[in-house]
Structure formats: structure tokens, C-alpha cells
Amino acid sequence: MERRLITNYESIGETESEKAATGGEFTAEDVIESMKWGRFQLAITFLSGAFVIVQSFEVMLLTVLFPAIQCEWQLSALESAMLSVFVFTGMLLGSPLWGVLADNYGRKPISFLASALVAFFGVLCTFSPNIIWLFILRFLVGAAIAGDLQMSVLLIEFIGSKYRALTVVAQQGFWATGALLEVLLAWLVIPTVGWRYLIGVTALPVVLSLFLWPVVPESVRFLLVSDQRESAMKTLAEATQMNGESLPPGELRAEVVEERGRISDLFHSDYCRTTIQMVIIWATSTACYYGTSLATTELFSMNYCAAPGAKVSPNDKSVAFCGCSPLSNSDYGQIAVTSVAELFIMPIAIVLADLIGRRNSMTVCQVMVAIPYFLLLTCVGSTWGVTALLFIARGFAASITTIIYLYTPEVYPTQCRAIGLSCCFFASCVGAILTPLLSQVLLRTSVHAALAIYGAMSVVGAITTILLPIETKGRRMV
């Protein structure tokens, strides 16, 4: 007999609602959907945001680290790119494992275990004696970072559909803040005391995040499917009390799911097409997001062996590439400007996601990423033109990742939500691994070819997104 999955587009019927109203049974979804935005939602958003910021620190470290390392260790373009490749490969291999663990043992313990490992291996990176050791340790950092994703799952499972878009965009705001702070931190640290101190300082907030354990609750939805109804009831009571509300009369109903975190569930007839398309969307959107971040550094740090004042095209094969150019104050400033784009443009995602739906809003953002990439083909010689177009591309690329982080947990049920998000994150790492080879290797050979590929990936992502079979706007999570 085929195993039936709970689908997110099933909602509680009239009979169950009537039971809750008359003191019969109520579900966690009834409570979460009925709660107004209050102190509890604000607290869980900021707690999750703390983990997002430190995750952003570790990932965006790559955009400012490789120019300094390349100069100190005299690395080739390919060797510099491999630093990013090792990090994203670690994230790729770690994400499915963390997803299975989170669906079976809980979102909270897995998130904190992952953060502890990020802190441990991050600190060790400071003492890397050579590039090989740095590759190995950043690979382990990447594998651990993939586990921090489960804190986002925990947050989404506590937020009702009415406030979900706003909450997820707020989380991406924390990410953008972390990315901007990392650039500013690098601007201060690398020119003065060197890149090793930057790695150490970057790991410090991860250590501090571990002290949040006592105040972070476990996901109520996980507690219910794992047959911990009393704990779930206690958590819901504390949440409603914190908001000045109360639980409805009656008993909390739970549907215990013995088998959780199965990858095969993602290819159940209800989700197979969605999963395949989500893999494509996550891969292309992540490649474009990290591509914009890394290409920004690369374009601004390009230094060609030309006479002073000479204007040299990046594709001019008659001029040899110098190979090493540390970031200047102007470069750091322009990278910071493009980082600010996420904070300015991402609020558009709030309006779009709730106004025209998740699918349509992601499609619009994909198109708005493709346009700047294609326009960059004609103005790579203008510094401020490049900055403006990268500003737009990065802002809308961040918006895509924001909405897709919202859509993915909404489309999968509780018993496979963490593994669903982790497997999509796995696909995103494939795109992320491809990115350094495009933005740090191919870009030096042909700027036009690299930018055209990113533009084409955005177009493919847009077409795949608009064809998604399920729209999750306004649907209840189960």
C-alpha cells in the first residue's frame, strides 16, 4: 500500500474547527495561525536572526578573503577559486545529513551542534600553515554551516501564514546585515593586522551564539510528529502567554509520524515535479547570488599590466594579467555599496510575495537579475556603471533566495520539511560550487562569457519558477 503524505495544501475542515471552538480538539496549526504578531514572534525572529548573521559572516568571508590569501601565498586564479569550491562542497555533502538528523532528532539540537562545529573549525582556520590545510578546514566549516539551516526551519514552523513572508524577509535582512558587516570588518582588519585575524574575529560571534541554547524553543511541529505532545503543549502555552493570549479549550491533537526525514518522500507523487523544479531553481538562483558577490570582488580587484592611465579592456589578450592585487579602500567601499543592495531591494520581496504570490514574485526577481547581467556585457569599462548594475543584480538575487527560503518549507509537510529544505540546499551548493569557476577563473579569461552564463542561468530559473505546480501563498503548514 502506498504511504500517504500529509500535503501542505490540505487544510483543517469545518468539523475540526468546530471541535476546537466547542472544547474538542485543536491542532498546533490552529494555535499558530490564530496568534497575533507579538513578543514571542519577535523573540524567535531575533534568535533565529542571530544564527543567520553568523552564518552570513562565515560564507561572505570568502568574498574578501581570497585576494589577500592569493597575494600572500602567490596562488593562481584556480587555486583561489578552489577555496570557495571546498567550502561549498562541504555544504553540499553536509546538508542532506543535517536534514535527516533534524527530522529525527529535532531542529534545535542539530542547529546548535552545527554552530559548535562551525566555531571550532573556524578558529582552527586561523592557524592554517598552508593552503592545503586551509582547504581542509574551510571544507569542514562548510559542512557544519549546512546544519545552521535548520534554525530557519524552526523559525518558519512557529510563524503563521499571515506573517510568514515578513518574517523570512526579516531573516534575509539579518543575512544582508551580516554580509555588510563582514565587508566592513575586513576593510578594518585585513589592511592592518592581516587575514588570519579576520578569520578569528569572524568565528567569535558563532561562539557567542551557543549561549542562546536556554532561550531557544524546540519546534512544536517536530515535537508533535515525534510523539512529545506534553512538551509541545508546554511550548505553545508559553508562547501564547508571552503574547498575552491563551490556548483554546480542548486537547492538543497530534499525528505521530514514525518514519521521518526520508528522501524518498520528496519524490512522492504529490511532490515529485515540485522537487525536480526546486532543484533547478535553487541551483541557478544560488549560483547567481554568490556569483554576483564573488564577481564584484573580482571585477574591482582586476589589475592589468598596462601603462599608467591606459584604458585596457578586460578581454584584451595582448595585456598580461598581473595575478595579484589586494583590495584597495575604493574596492572595499564599492563592495560595501553592492552589499547594501540587499537591504534596499529585499523589502520589495515582502510586497511581491504576498501581493502576486511566491511563484510570480520569484519569476520577476529572476528576470531582474538577468537584465543587469546582460547589460554588464556593454559597460564593463565603467566602474560606476558596473557598481550600479551589480547593485541591482545582487539585490534581486538576494530577493530570490529570500522568497525561495519562504516557499520551500511551506510546500513540504513536517515529516520531510527539514530534509526537503536540506536537499534543495544541496542543489544550491552545486550552483555555488560552479560559481567560483565562473567568477574567479572564467571571468579572467572572458568577462563576457562569464556574465552571459549568469544571465542565461537566471532566464532558465525564471522559466522553471513560473511552471511550479503549487502556489503556497495563504496555505497552512502541516
Side-chain angles (χ1 to χ4, degrees), residues 147-215:
D148 282 338
L149 184 68
Q150 302 311 320
M151 187 57 70
S152 297
V153 177
L154 186 150
L155 171 68
I156 289 295
E157 292 182 333
F158 270 118
I159 304 297
S161 58
K162 184 178 180 180
Y163 306 107
R164 204 172 291 142
L166 175 63
T167 304
V168 172
V169 171
Q171 290 299 285
Q172 292 305 105
F174 284 114
W175 175 278
T177 301
L180 177 59
L181 290 176
E182 184 64 27
V183 173
L184 298 177
L185 188 63
W187 195 351
L188 175 66
V189 174
I190 290 181
T192 54
V193 293
W195 60 268
R196 293 181 185 274
Y197 284 90
L198 177 64
I199 294 179
V201 173
T202 298
L204 181 60
V206 188
V207 176
L208 297 178
S209 70
L210 299 176
F211 292 95
L212 296 175
W213 172 273
V215 294

Coordinates of all heavy atoms in Angstrom, one line a residue, residues 147-215:
G147 N 24.3 22.8 8.6 CA 23.4 22.4 9.7 C 22.7 23.6 10.3 O 21.6 23.5 10.8
D148 N 23.3 24.8 10.2 CA 22.6 26.0 10.7 C 21.3 26.3 10.0 O 20.5 27.1 10.5 CB 23.6 27.2 10.6 CG 24.6 27.2 11.7 OD1 24.4 26.6 12.7 OD2 25.7 27.8 11.5
L149 N 21.2 25.8 8.8 CA 19.9 26.0 8.0 C 18.7 25.5 8.8 O 17.6 26.1 8.6 CB 20.0 25.2 6.7 CG 18.9 25.3 5.7 CD1 18.9 26.7 5.1 CD2 19.1 24.3 4.6
Q150 N 18.9 24.6 9.7 CA 17.7 24.0 10.5 C 17.1 25.1 11.4 O 15.9 25.0 11.8 CB 18.1 22.8 11.2 CG 18.7 21.7 10.4 CD 17.8 21.4 9.1 OE1 16.6 21.4 9.2 NE2 18.5 21.2 8.0
M151 N 17.9 26.1 11.8 CA 17.3 27.2 12.6 C 16.2 27.9 11.8 O 15.2 28.4 12.4 CB 18.4 28.1 13.1 CG 17.9 29.1 14.1 SD 17.1 28.4 15.6 CE 18.6 27.7 16.4
S152 N 16.4 28.0 10.5 CA 15.4 28.7 9.7 C 14.1 27.8 9.6 O 13.0 28.4 9.6 CB 15.9 28.9 8.3 OG 17.0 29.8 8.3
V153 N 14.3 26.5 9.6 CA 13.1 25.6 9.6 C 12.3 25.8 10.9 O 11.1 25.9 10.9 CB 13.6 24.1 9.4 CG1 12.4 23.2 9.5 CG2 14.3 23.9 8.1
L154 N 13.1 25.9 12.0 CA 12.4 26.0 13.3 C 11.6 27.3 13.3 O 10.5 27.4 13.8 CB 13.5 26.1 14.4 CG 13.1 26.1 15.9 CD1 14.1 25.4 16.7 CD2 12.9 27.5 16.4
L155 N 12.2 28.4 12.8 CA 11.5 29.7 12.8 C 10.2 29.6 12.0 O 9.1 30.0 12.4 CB 12.4 30.8 12.2 CG 11.7 32.1 11.9 CD1 11.3 32.8 13.2 CD2 12.7 33.0 11.1
I156 N 10.3 29.1 10.8 CA 9.1 29.0 9.9 C 8.0 28.2 10.5 O 6.8 28.6 10.4 CB 9.5 28.4 8.5 CG1 10.4 29.3 7.7 CG2 8.3 28.0 7.7 CD1 9.8 30.6 7.3
E157 N 8.3 27.2 11.2 CA 7.3 26.3 11.8 C 6.6 27.0 13.0 O 5.6 26.5 13.5 CB 8.0 25.0 12.3 CG 8.4 24.2 11.1 CD 9.0 22.8 11.5 OE1 9.5 22.7 12.6 OE2 8.9 21.9 10.6
F158 N 7.1 28.1 13.5 CA 6.4 28.9 14.5 C 5.6 30.1 14.1 O 5.0 30.7 14.8 CB 7.5 29.4 15.6 CG 7.8 28.4 16.7 CD1 9.1 27.9 16.8 CD2 6.8 28.1 17.6 CE1 9.4 27.1 17.9 CE2 7.1 27.2 18.6 CZ 8.4 26.7 18.8
I159 N 5.7 30.4 12.8 CA 5.1 31.6 12.2 C 3.8 31.2 11.4 O 3.9 30.4 10.5 CB 6.1 32.4 11.4 CG1 7.3 32.7 12.2 CG2 5.4 33.7 10.9 CD1 7.1 33.6 13.5
G160 N 2.7 31.9 11.6 CA 1.5 31.7 10.8 C 1.7 32.3 9.4 O 2.6 33.1 9.2
S161 N 0.8 31.9 8.5 CA 0.9 32.2 7.1 C 0.8 33.7 6.9 O 1.4 34.3 6.0 CB -0.2 31.5 6.3 OG -1.5 31.9 6.8
K162 N 0.1 34.4 7.8 CA -0.1 35.9 7.6 C 1.2 36.7 7.7 O 1.4 37.7 7.1 CB -1.2 36.4 8.6 CG -1.5 37.8 8.5 CD -2.6 38.2 9.5 CE -3.0 39.7 9.3 NZ -4.0 40.1 10.3
Y163 N 2.1 36.2 8.6 CA 3.3 36.9 8.9 C 4.5 36.2 8.4 O 5.7 36.7 8.6 CB 3.5 37.1 10.4 CG 2.3 37.7 11.1 CD1 1.4 36.9 11.9 CD2 2.0 39.1 10.9 CE1 0.3 37.5 12.5 CE2 0.8 39.6 11.6 CZ 0.0 38.8 12.3 OH -1.1 39.4 13.0
R164 N 4.3 35.1 7.6 CA 5.5 34.3 7.2 C 6.4 35.0 6.3 O 7.6 35.0 6.4 CB 5.0 33.0 6.6 CG 6.0 31.8 6.7 CD 5.3 30.6 6.3 NE 4.4 30.1 7.3 CZ 3.2 29.5 6.9 NH1 2.9 29.4 5.7 NH2 2.4 29.2 7.9
A165 N 5.8 35.7 5.3 CA 6.7 36.4 4.3 C 7.5 37.5 5.0 O 8.7 37.6 4.7 CB 5.8 37.0 3.2
L166 N 6.9 38.2 5.8 CA 7.6 39.3 6.5 C 8.7 38.8 7.4 O 9.8 39.3 7.4 CB 6.6 40.1 7.4 CG 7.2 41.2 8.3 CD1 7.8 42.3 7.5 CD2 6.1 41.8 9.2
T167 N 8.5 37.6 8.0 CA 9.5 37.0 8.9 C 10.7 36.5 8.1 O 11.8 36.8 8.5 CB 8.8 35.9 9.7 OG1 7.7 36.4 10.4 CG2 9.9 35.3 10.7
V168 N 10.4 35.8 7.0 CA 11.5 35.3 6.2 C 12.3 36.4 5.6 O 13.6 36.3 5.6 CB 11.0 34.3 5.1 CG1 12.1 33.9 4.2 CG2 10.4 33.1 5.8
V169 N 11.7 37.5 5.1 CA 12.4 38.6 4.6 C 13.3 39.3 5.7 O 14.4 39.7 5.5 CB 11.4 39.6 4.0 CG1 12.2 40.9 3.6 CG2 10.8 39.0 2.7
A170 N 12.7 39.3 6.9 CA 13.5 39.8 8.0 C 14.8 39.0 8.3 O 15.8 39.5 8.6 CB 12.6 39.9 9.3
Q171 N 14.6 37.7 8.1 CA 15.8 36.8 8.3 C 16.8 37.1 7.2 O 18.0 37.1 7.5 CB 15.4 35.3 8.2 CG 14.5 34.8 9.3 CD 15.3 34.9 10.6 OE1 16.2 34.1 10.9 NE2 15.0 35.9 11.5
Q172 N 16.4 37.3 6.0 CA 17.4 37.7 4.9 C 18.0 39.1 5.2 O 19.1 39.3 4.8 CB 16.7 37.6 3.6 CG 16.3 36.2 3.2 CD 17.5 35.2 3.2 OE1 17.6 34.4 4.1 NE2 18.4 35.3 2.2
G173 N 17.2 39.9 5.9 CA 17.7 41.2 6.3 C 18.9 41.0 7.3 O 19.9 41.7 7.2
F174 N 18.8 40.0 8.2 CA 19.9 39.7 9.1 C 21.1 39.2 8.3 O 22.2 39.5 8.6 CB 19.5 38.6 10.1 CG 18.6 39.1 11.2 CD1 17.3 38.7 11.3 CD2 19.1 40.0 12.1 CE1 16.4 39.2 12.3 CE2 18.3 40.5 13.1 CZ 17.0 40.0 13.2
W175 N 20.8 38.4 7.2 CA 21.9 37.8 6.4 C 22.6 39.0 5.7 O 23.8 39.1 5.7 CB 21.3 36.9 5.3 CG 22.3 36.4 4.3 CD1 22.8 37.1 3.2 CD2 23.1 35.2 4.4 NE1 23.7 36.4 2.5 CE2 23.9 35.2 3.2 CE3 23.1 34.1 5.2 CZ2 24.8 34.1 3.0 CZ3 24.0 33.1 5.0 CH2 24.8 33.1 3.9
A176 N 21.8 39.9 5.1 CA 22.4 41.1 4.4 C 23.2 41.9 5.4 O 24.3 42.5 5.0 CB 21.3 41.9 3.8
T177 N 22.7 42.1 6.6 CA 23.5 42.9 7.6 C 24.8 42.2 7.9 O 25.8 42.8 8.0 CB 22.6 43.0 8.9 OG1 21.4 43.7 8.6 CG2 23.4 43.8 10.0
G178 N 24.7 40.9 8.1 CA 26.0 40.1 8.3 C 27.0 40.3 7.2 O 28.2 40.4 7.4
A179 N 26.5 40.2 5.9 CA 27.4 40.4 4.8 C 28.0 41.7 4.7 O 29.2 41.9 4.5 CB 26.6 40.1 3.5
L180 N 27.2 42.8 5.0 CA 27.8 44.1 5.1 C 28.8 44.3 6.2 O 29.9 44.9 6.0 CB 26.6 45.1 5.2 CG 27.0 46.6 5.3 CD1 27.8 47.1 4.1 CD2 25.8 47.5 5.5
L181 N 28.5 43.8 7.4 CA 29.4 43.9 8.5 C 30.7 43.2 8.2 O 31.8 43.6 8.7 CB 28.7 43.3 9.8 CG 27.6 44.2 10.3 CD1 27.0 43.4 11.5 CD2 28.1 45.5 10.8
E182 N 30.6 42.0 7.5 CA 31.8 41.3 7.2 C 32.8 42.1 6.3 O 34.0 42.1 6.4 CB 31.5 39.9 6.6 CG 32.7 39.0 6.3 CD 33.4 38.6 7.6 OE1 32.7 38.5 8.6 OE2 34.6 38.3 7.5
V183 N 32.2 42.8 5.3 CA 33.0 43.6 4.4 C 33.6 44.7 5.2 O 34.8 45.0 5.0 CB 32.1 44.2 3.3 CG1 32.9 45.2 2.4 CG2 31.6 43.1 2.4
L184 N 32.9 45.4 6.0 CA 33.4 46.5 6.8 C 34.5 46.0 7.8 O 35.5 46.7 8.0 CB 32.3 47.2 7.6 CG 31.2 47.8 6.8 CD1 30.1 48.4 7.7 CD2 31.8 48.9 5.9
L185 N 34.2 44.8 8.4 CA 35.2 44.2 9.3 C 36.5 43.9 8.5 O 37.6 44.2 9.0 CB 34.7 42.9 9.9 CG 35.5 42.3 11.0 CD1 35.6 43.2 12.2 CD2 34.8 41.0 11.4
A186 N 36.4 43.3 7.3 CA 37.6 43.0 6.5 C 38.3 44.3 6.1 O 39.6 44.4 6.1 CB 37.2 42.3 5.2
W187 N 37.6 45.4 5.8 CA 38.1 46.7 5.5 C 39.0 47.2 6.6 O 40.1 47.8 6.4 CB 37.0 47.6 5.2 CG 37.4 48.9 4.5 CD1 38.7 49.4 4.3 CD2 36.5 49.9 4.0 NE1 38.6 50.6 3.6 CE2 37.3 50.9 3.4 CE3 35.1 50.0 3.9 CZ2 36.7 52.0 2.8 CZ3 34.5 51.1 3.3 CH2 35.3 52.1 2.7
L188 N 38.6 46.9 7.9 CA 39.3 47.4 9.0 C 40.5 46.5 9.4 O 41.6 46.9 9.8 CB 38.3 47.5 10.2 CG 38.9 47.8 11.6 CD1 39.5 49.3 11.6 CD2 37.9 47.7 12.7
V189 N 40.3 45.1 9.3 CA 41.2 44.2 9.8 C 42.3 43.8 8.9 O 43.5 43.8 9.2 CB 40.5 42.9 10.3 CG1 41.5 41.8 10.7 CG2 39.5 43.2 11.4
I190 N 42.0 43.4 7.6 CA 43.0 42.9 6.7 C 44.1 43.9 6.4 O 45.3 43.5 6.5 CB 42.3 42.5 5.4 CG1 41.5 41.2 5.6 CG2 43.4 42.1 4.3 CD1 40.8 40.7 4.4
P191 N 43.9 45.2 6.1 CA 45.0 46.1 5.9 C 45.9 46.4 7.1 O 47.0 46.8 6.9 CB 44.3 47.4 5.4 CG 42.9 46.9 5.0 CD 42.6 45.8 5.9
T192 N 45.3 46.1 8.3 CA 46.1 46.5 9.5 C 46.8 45.3 10.1 O 48.0 45.4 10.4 CB 45.1 47.1 10.5 OG1 44.0 46.2 10.8 CG2 44.6 48.4 10.1
V193 N 46.1 44.2 10.4 CA 46.7 43.0 11.1 C 46.7 41.7 10.2 O 47.2 40.7 10.7 CB 46.0 42.8 12.4 CG1 46.3 44.0 13.4 CG2 44.5 42.6 12.3
G194 N 46.0 41.7 9.1 CA 46.0 40.6 8.2 C 44.8 39.7 8.3 O 43.9 39.8 9.1
W195 N 44.7 38.8 7.3 CA 43.5 37.9 7.1 C 43.3 36.9 8.2 O 42.2 36.5 8.4 CB 43.6 37.2 5.7 CG 44.8 36.3 5.5 CD1 46.0 36.6 4.9 CD2 44.9 34.9 5.8 NE1 46.8 35.6 4.9 CE2 46.1 34.5 5.4 CE3 44.0 34.0 6.4 CZ2 46.6 33.2 5.6 CZ3 44.4 32.7 6.6 CH2 45.7 32.3 6.2
R196 N 44.4 36.4 8.8 CA 44.2 35.4 9.9 C 43.4 36.0 11.0 O 42.5 35.3 11.6 CB 45.6 35.0 10.4 CG 46.4 34.2 9.4 CD 47.7 33.7 9.9 NE 48.6 33.1 8.9 CZ 48.5 31.8 8.6 NH1 47.6 31.0 9.2 NH2 49.3 31.3 7.7
Y197 N 43.6 37.2 11.4 CA 42.8 37.8 12.5 C 41.4 38.0 12.0 O 40.5 37.9 12.9 CB 43.4 39.2 12.8 CG 44.7 39.1 13.7 CD1 46.0 39.0 13.1 CD2 44.6 39.0 15.1 CE1 47.1 38.9 13.8 CE2 45.8 38.9 15.8 CZ 47.0 38.9 15.2 OH 48.2 38.7 16.0
L198 N 41.2 38.2 10.7 CA 39.8 38.4 10.3 C 39.0 37.0 10.4 O 37.9 37.0 10.9 CB 39.8 38.8 8.8 CG 38.4 38.8 8.1 CD1 37.6 39.9 8.8 CD2 38.5 39.1 6.6
I199 N 39.7 35.9 10.1 CA 39.0 34.6 10.3 C 38.7 34.4 11.8 O 37.6 33.9 12.1 CB 39.9 33.5 9.8 CG1 40.1 33.6 8.3 CG2 39.4 32.1 10.1 CD1 41.0 32.6 7.7
G200 N 39.6 34.7 12.7 CA 39.4 34.5 14.1 C 38.3 35.4 14.6 O 37.4 34.9 15.4
V201 N 38.3 36.7 14.2 CA 37.2 37.6 14.7 C 35.9 37.2 14.1 O 34.8 37.3 14.8 CB 37.6 39.0 14.3 CG1 36.4 40.0 14.6 CG2 38.8 39.5 15.0
T202 N 35.8 36.6 12.9 CA 34.6 36.2 12.3 C 34.0 35.0 13.0 O 32.8 34.8 13.1 CB 34.9 35.8 10.8 OG1 35.3 36.9 10.1 CG2 33.6 35.3 10.2
A203 N 34.9 34.1 13.6 CA 34.4 33.0 14.3 C 33.9 33.3 15.7 O 33.1 32.5 16.3 CB 35.5 31.9 14.4
L204 N 34.2 34.4 16.3 CA 33.8 34.8 17.6 C 32.3 34.9 17.8 O 31.8 34.3 18.8 CB 34.5 36.1 18.0 CG 34.2 36.6 19.5 CD1 34.7 35.6 20.5 CD2 34.9 38.0 19.7
P205 N 31.6 35.6 16.9 CA 30.1 35.6 17.1 C 29.4 34.2 17.1 O 28.4 34.0 17.7 CB 29.6 36.5 15.9 CG 30.8 37.3 15.5 CD 32.0 36.4 15.8
V206 N 30.0 33.3 16.3 CA 29.5 31.9 16.3 C 29.6 31.3 17.7 O 28.7 30.6 18.2 CB 30.2 31.0 15.3 CG1 29.5 29.7 15.1 CG2 30.3 31.7 13.9
V207 N 30.7 31.5 18.4 CA 30.9 31.0 19.7 C 29.8 31.6 20.7 O 29.2 30.9 21.5 CB 32.3 31.3 20.2 CG1 32.5 30.9 21.7 CG2 33.4 30.7 19.4
L208 N 29.6 32.9 20.5 CA 28.7 33.6 21.4 C 27.2 33.1 21.2 O 26.4 33.1 22.1 CB 28.7 35.1 21.2 CG 30.1 35.8 21.5 CD1 30.0 37.3 21.1 CD2 30.4 35.6 23.0
S209 N 26.9 32.7 19.9 CA 25.6 32.2 19.6 C 25.2 31.0 20.4 O 24.0 30.7 20.6 CB 25.4 32.0 18.1 OG 26.1 30.9 17.7
L210 N 26.2 30.2 20.8 CA 26.0 28.9 21.5 C 25.3 29.2 22.9 O 24.7 28.3 23.4 CB 27.3 28.2 21.7 CG 28.0 27.8 20.4 CD1 29.3 27.1 20.7 CD2 27.1 26.8 19.6
F211 N 25.5 30.4 23.4 CA 24.9 30.7 24.8 C 23.4 31.0 24.7 O 22.8 31.2 25.7 CB 25.7 31.9 25.4 CG 27.1 31.6 25.7 CD1 28.1 31.9 24.9 CD2 27.4 31.0 27.0 CE1 29.5 31.6 25.2 CE2 28.7 30.7 27.3 CZ 29.7 31.0 26.4
L212 N 22.9 30.9 23.5 CA 21.4 31.1 23.3 C 20.6 29.9 23.6 O 19.4 29.9 23.5 CB 21.1 31.7 21.9 CG 21.7 33.1 21.6 CD1 21.4 33.4 20.1 CD2 21.1 34.1 22.5
W213 N 21.3 28.7 23.8 CA 20.6 27.5 24.0 C 19.4 27.5 25.0 O 18.3 27.0 24.6 CB 21.6 26.4 24.4 CG 20.9 25.1 24.8 CD1 20.4 24.7 26.0 CD2 20.7 24.0 24.0 NE1 19.9 23.5 26.0 CE2 20.1 23.0 24.7 CE3 21.0 23.7 22.6 CZ2 19.7 21.7 24.2 CZ3 20.6 22.5 22.1 CH2 19.9 21.5 22.9
P214 N 19.5 28.1 26.1 CA 18.4 28.0 27.1 C 17.2 28.8 26.6 O 16.1 28.4 27.1 CB 19.0 28.7 28.4 CG 20.5 28.7 28.2 CD 20.7 28.8 26.7
V215 N 17.3 29.7 25.7 CA 16.1 30.5 25.4 C 15.5 30.2 24.0 O 14.5 30.7 23.6 CB 16.5 32.0 25.4 CG1 16.8 32.5 26.8 CG2 17.6 32.4 24.5

